[in-house]
Structure formats: structure tokens, C-alpha cells
């Protein structure tokens, strides 16, 4: 039998031509989005002032299993896809585990993460529908960078509201986005009503994704031919990210492999949703039974300590209500170094699947443990991982160690969502021993749970 290569690439001709919509196969569908003005389920017309029409259709679609990837988006994907499926031989050896560890590496593009998969789709539809500009928010900067690249490619202007703590920590991110022509504003800012209100109520705040979302939405709805786009959480984003799992599954089939365990870090849920969807379909249809693990930061533990309830997707309370695991939209997590995982809620799809037991386990990990795993991984696999991705690495290592104890040769697949080149301040803080492991208290969480909107649905 031929040895499985270290890096396996699908042929370009084998790249998926459709995204996969896992909602079509879910037994229990997600609760509908609710319009906070009427407290009724959201309809298409409620969303089209904020989002592009075709993206609204995708957002509300829970019946079409496969949705065509437009030709021009596929052409863009070909610039950096298919992404490699890597067999972690060196990590396996270092751990002395009988487990077979694979990871799908999404950091091989200039934005450095998987976010480009959805950015390309969203910029394409905006251009097609005659928009001249887009607004968005960015936490750690990966999404803003990805969208700046996609907007430059499809020829559309972009304003990015960047969470203030990241704006200050990551000047190089700003420079990259500026290179692609985007306009960057630290959030909260005085350029929007909601920003001014947040500054008044929380002076000196370091900002949060929720605040930045509110600002970007306000800007989009008050600007002509402008729409808002979001890099995670939404159903449409999970749909676009399904390309990760479709490629992984096809690559593993060609290698005569199939995962026993699928692991992803979970911020808003898009990479995990995208990686696991194709495998989740097998499980939903009763074909196979892979075990799914979501990994989140202990500082922002929405699945492990949040409530499954209707909540706003943003701090400014202008978005629809979504039923999801949430820490409360008023929860502002302590600034940590996995900025891409600092979001109060979780994708409604992931939330429902977790609630119904299809996602088997969620774990919350401390920052220093994550960087320990990141450093170990970097040494053996020679890739400097993003702090977000390193949450998944941590869990994969834990599972591989369990295999060592039990002697089982399980096949583990995890998502390596990005590189850590823009996170060197975080690595320095870990190396110097100044990194803290702030974990919110139950009282901290209760304060924001008390503010959850009351919905009887
Ligand atoms: C944004 C980001 C994440 C988390 O977002 P999800 O929507 O949960 O995938 C994870 N890893 C990287 C590198 C990111 O940029």
C-alpha cells in the first residue's frame, strides 16, 4: 500500500462545484430569526436593506441541499484552493500516539485564514447586485483582511470597523487592509449613533465584535448602494465554508480514510460548521458516526457556559434575534489573544446541532494551554498556527494522548484555520510569562444573562 503523503492536494478539477447546506438534512431545524420590531419571524424583506438579495435567500434556505458556487467565485477559489490536507506524521511521532492525525490547512492565502472562502462569495454577490460599497466589522483582523482582498478583486469599496483593542494591538493588519484599499475605523467610534452611545455608556471600552457589528450595520443601511457583510455566525457563511469539509471528505476518500473524530475551534462557528458539514451529513443520514468536538476559549465560553436562548447578534441591538448559545449580547469578553473567538454568541446551526447531541462535546480551554499546544505543534509541524486554530490543536493533542493510553488508532481530523504571523505580540506575551488566563465568573455571566431579551417562542 502506498504511503499517505505528508501534504495531499486535490486536483483543481475535483474542486466542489456546489456548497452543501447542512440545514437541509437537519432533523430539527433552527428556530427562525426574529425581527425585534415586530417579534415575528424574519421575512426576506426585513433583511434586504442590510444584506444582498441572494445572500438573504441563502440565509433563509433550509431545503436546498446543494447550492451552486458561481463560476467567478470558483475562479477566485482556484487562486488559493484546493487547500492541503496534511497528515501530521511529525506530531504523531512526537506524541507517540497510534492515532492518525490529519488537518485541513486554510492559512495558505495572504489573509491567513479560512475567512476568504466567504469573503469571496459575499463580495461577488454584492458586485452582481450593483452595490458600490460594503461595510463590515473585524475582530482580530482576519475577516477584514479577507474581505479587503475580495473587494479589491471584485472592484467594490469597503469600510471596516475594527475592534479597538485589535486596532491598537495589530497595526500591521491595518496596513495589509489599507494595501487592498479598505478604509479602517477603530470601534466604537464617533462615526455612528450606536458607536457614540456605546462610548458614552462604556467610556474607555476596548470594544467588542458586537459593538463593531452595530456600527457597520448602521453605516450600511444609511449609505446608498451599500450592504453589510458578516464573516461568521450566519447560515450563509457556514454554507460558503462548507467547501472546507467537502474538500476534506473528498481528499480523505481518495486516501481511503475517514475521520473518527472531527475537531474545530469555535468563535462564531463558521470554520467548524464548514469543516464538519459534509461529515455531519453522513451522521444525520445514519451512514457513519463521527464524533464532533467544538473548542472555545475559557474567556468566552458560549457553548460550555452560555444559555440556549434568543439573543441579539450585536451589542447595539439592531440585528435580528437568533436562537443560539449565548453569553448575552452585553457580555464584553476580556481582551485575549484569540480575537477571532471573542464573540458572545454561536452560529444557530451549530447551537442546534449541539443542543440535539449531534456535536458531541464542547470544551473551553485556557489561553496559556492553547499557546503551549501551539508552540509544540509549530516545532514539529513547522507551521506557526493562529491562536484561534490552536484551540483545535490543543483538543486534537488531547484526543491523540487518549489514543496512546487506550492503544486505539483513531483517525482525527481538525481544522487548522490560519497562521499566527499577526499574533506575535501574543506569542511574546506567552514566552515572557505575562499572559493571563482570565475566566469570567458566574456573576459576570449572570449580569449579561439578566439582560437577555424576553421572547416567548
Ligand atoms: C475568525 C477565525 C476563527 C473563528 O471563527 P469561526 O467563525 O468560529 O470559524 C478561527 N480561526 C481563525 C484563523 C479565524 O480567523
Amino acid at each position: 500500500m502506498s504511503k499517505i503523503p505528508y501534504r495531499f492536494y486535490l486536483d483543481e478539477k475535483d474542486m466542489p462545484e456546489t456548497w452543501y447546506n447542512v440545514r437541509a438534512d437537519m432533523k430539527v431545524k433552527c428556530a427562525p430569526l426574529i425581527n425585534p420590531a415586530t417579534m415575528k419571524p424574519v421575512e426576506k424583506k426585513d433583511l434586504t436593506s442590510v444584506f444582498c438579495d441572494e445572500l438573504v435567500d441563502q440565509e433563509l434556505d433550509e431545503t436546498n441541499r446543494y447550492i451552486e458556487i458561481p463560476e467567478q467565485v470558483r475562479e477566485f477559489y482556484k487562486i488559493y484552493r484546493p487547500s492541503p490536507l496534511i497528515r501530521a506524521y511529525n506530531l504523531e511521532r512526537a506524541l507517540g500516539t497510534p492515532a492518525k492525525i490529519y488537518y485541513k490547512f486554510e492559512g495558505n492565502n495572504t489573509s491567513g485564514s479560512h475567512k476568504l472562502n466567504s469573503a469571496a462569495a459575499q463580495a461577488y454577490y454584492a458586485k452582481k447586485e450593483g452595490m458600490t460599497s460594503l461595510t463590515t466589522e473585524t475582530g482580530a483582523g482576519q475577516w477584514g483582511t479577507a474581505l479587503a482582498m475580495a473587494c479589491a478583486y471584485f472592484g467594490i469599496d469597503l469600510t471596516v470597523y475594527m475592534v479597538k483593542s485589535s486596532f491598537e494591538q495589530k497595526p500591521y493588519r491595518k496596513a495589509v487592509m489599507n494595501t487592498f484599499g479598505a478604509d479602517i475605523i477603530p470601534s466604537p467610534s464617533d462615526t455612528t449613533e450606536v458607536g457614540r452611545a456605546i462610548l458614552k455608556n462604556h467610556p474607555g471600552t476596548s470594544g467588542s465584535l458586537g459593538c463593531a457589528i452595530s456600527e457597520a450595520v448602521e453605516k450600511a443601511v444609511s449609505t446608498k448602494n451599500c450592504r453589510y457583510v458578516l464573516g461568521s455566525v450566519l447560515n450563509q457563511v457556514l454554507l460558503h465554508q462548507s467547501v472546507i469539509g467537502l474538500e476534506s471528505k473528498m481528499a480523505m476518500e481518495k486516501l481511503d480514510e475517514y475521520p473518527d473524530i472531527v475537531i474545530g475551534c469555535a468563535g462564531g462557528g463558521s470554520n467548524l460548521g464548514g469543516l464538519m458539514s459534509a461529515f455531519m451529513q453522513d451522521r444525520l443520514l445514519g451512514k457513519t458516526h463521527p464524533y464532533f468536538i467544538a473548542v472555545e476559549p475559557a474567556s468566552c465560553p458560549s457553548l460550555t457556559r452560555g444559555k440556549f436562548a434568543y439573543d441579539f447578534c450585536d451589542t447595539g441591538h439592531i440585528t435580528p434575534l437568533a436562537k443560539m448559545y449565548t453569553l448575552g449580547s452585553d457580555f464584553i469578553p476580556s481582551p485575549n489573544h484569540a480575537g477571532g473567538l471573542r464573540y458572545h454568541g454561536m452560529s444557530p446551526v451549530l447551537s442546534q446541532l449541539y443542543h440535539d447531541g449531534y456535536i458531541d462535546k464542547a470544551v473551553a480551554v485556557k489561553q496559556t494551554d492553547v499557546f503551549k499546544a501551539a508552540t509544540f505543534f509549530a516545532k514539529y509541524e513547522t507551521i506557526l498556527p493562529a491562536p484561534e486554530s490552536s484551540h483545535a490543536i490543543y483538543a486534537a493533542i488531547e484526543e491523540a494522548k487518549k489514543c496512546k493510553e487506550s492503544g486505539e488508532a483513531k483517525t482525527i481530523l481538525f481544522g487548522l484555520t490560519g497562521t499566527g504571523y499577526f499574533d506575535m505580540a501574543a506569542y511574546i506575551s506567552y514566552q515572557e510569562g505575562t499572559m493571563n488566563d482570565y475566566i469570567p465568573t458566574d456573576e459576570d455571566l449572570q449580569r449579561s444573562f439578566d439582560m437577555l431579551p424576553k421572547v416567548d417562542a
Side-chain angles (χ1 to χ4, degrees), residues 156-175:
I156 207 161
D157 291 338
L158 174 65
T159 304
V160 180
Y161 288 89
M162 185 168 183
V163 178
K164 193 183 277 167
S165 55
S166 296
F167 183 88
E168 285 160 1
Q169 273 170 14
K170 300 187 170 181
Y172 296 130
R173 271 284 176 198
K174 177 174 177 291

Side-chain angles (χ1 to χ4, degrees), residues 72 76 119-120 122-134 146-158 180-181 225:
Q72 279 152 284
F76 184 82
Q122 299 197 52
Y124 162 80
Y125 288 115
K127 183 70 180 181
K128 184 180 169 203
E129 291 175 25
M131 299 301 141
T132 49
S133 66
L134 290 173
L147 191 63
M149 289 169 68
C151 284
Y153 180 88
F154 286 106
I156 207 161
D157 291 338
L158 174 65
F180 289 100
N225 290 336

Side-chain angles (χ1 to χ4, degrees), residues 132-148:
T132 49
S133 66
L134 290 173
T135 69
T136 196
E137 77 296 330
T138 196
Q142 285 96 318
W143 168 244
T145 309
L147 191 63

Side-chain angles (χ1 to χ4, degrees), residues 106-107 111-115 140-143 173 209 231-233 237-238 241 244 264-274 295 338-342 346-347 350 385-390 415-419 423:
E106 291 290 321
S111 78
S113 84
H114 65 289
K115 295 210 169 64
Q142 285 96 318
W143 168 244
R173 271 284 176 198
L209 268 185
S232 184
V233 189
V237 182
L238 253 75
Q241 295 297 356
I244 303 172
C265 61
S270 74
N271 86 82
L272 174 58
V295 195
L341 304 181
R342 285 183 74 216
M346 183 57 65
S347 139
L350 253 65
E388 292 87 353
S389 323
S390 305
L416 189 70
T417 50
T419 57
D423 299 287

Side-chain angles (χ1 to χ4, degrees), residues 211-393:
C211 301
I213 293 173
S214 309
E215 290 205 271
V217 172
E218 181 183 322
K219 177 79 176 175
V221 295
S222 57
T223 307
K224 191 164 178 275
N225 290 336
C226 180
R227 289 291 182 275
Y228 164 73
V229 293
L230 182 60
S232 184
V233 189
L234 296 177
N235 302 329
Q236 56 189 275
V237 182
L238 253 75
L239 176 74
H240 306 147
Q241 295 297 356
S242 68
V243 68
I244 303 172
L246 291 166
E247 281 185 12
S248 302
K249 191 172 169 199
M250 197 185 303
M252 291 189 90
E253 270 164 10
K254 287 190 188 290
L255 298 172
D256 222 0
E257 290 279 27
Y258 193 87
D260 298 304
I261 305 176
V262 179
I263 302 171
C265 61
S270 74
N271 86 82
L272 174 58
L275 175 68
M276 78 178 187
S277 281
F279 301 101
M280 184 60 82
Q281 180 182 34
D282 289 344
R283 175 143 165 199
L284 289 165
L285 300 180
K287 290 188 191 162
T288 59
H289 199 107
Y291 188 85
F292 297 101
I293 305 176
V295 195
E296 57 186 13
S299 59
C300 195
S302 47
L303 284 171
T304 49
R305 294 174 67 199
K307 291 224 186 307
F308 188 44
Y310 268 106
D311 194 10
F312 289 97
C313 300
D314 67 319
T315 313
H317 296 182
I318 52 181
T319 58
L321 302 170
K323 188 163 180 198
M324 58 184 173
Y325 279 87
T326 178
L327 297 169
S329 60
D330 288 283
F331 179 78
I332 296 195
S334 71
N336 73 10
H337 290 297
L341 304 181
R342 285 183 74 216
Y343 180 65
H344 67 272
M346 183 57 65
S347 139
V349 173
L350 253 65
S351 294
Q352 190 67 48
L353 289 168
Y354 179 59
H355 188 71
D356 295 339
Y358 287 102
I359 293 176
D360 300 274
K361 187 160 85 172
V363 285
V365 189
K366 286 193 311 209
Q367 229 183 168
T368 47
D369 290 341
V370 167
F371 277 83
K372 192 173 165 202
T375 304
F376 189 81
F377 176 87
K379 272 186 196 148
Y380 293 103
E381 288 296 313
T382 74
I383 292 174
L384 183 88
E388 292 87 353
S389 323
S390 305
H391 287 70
I393 294 174

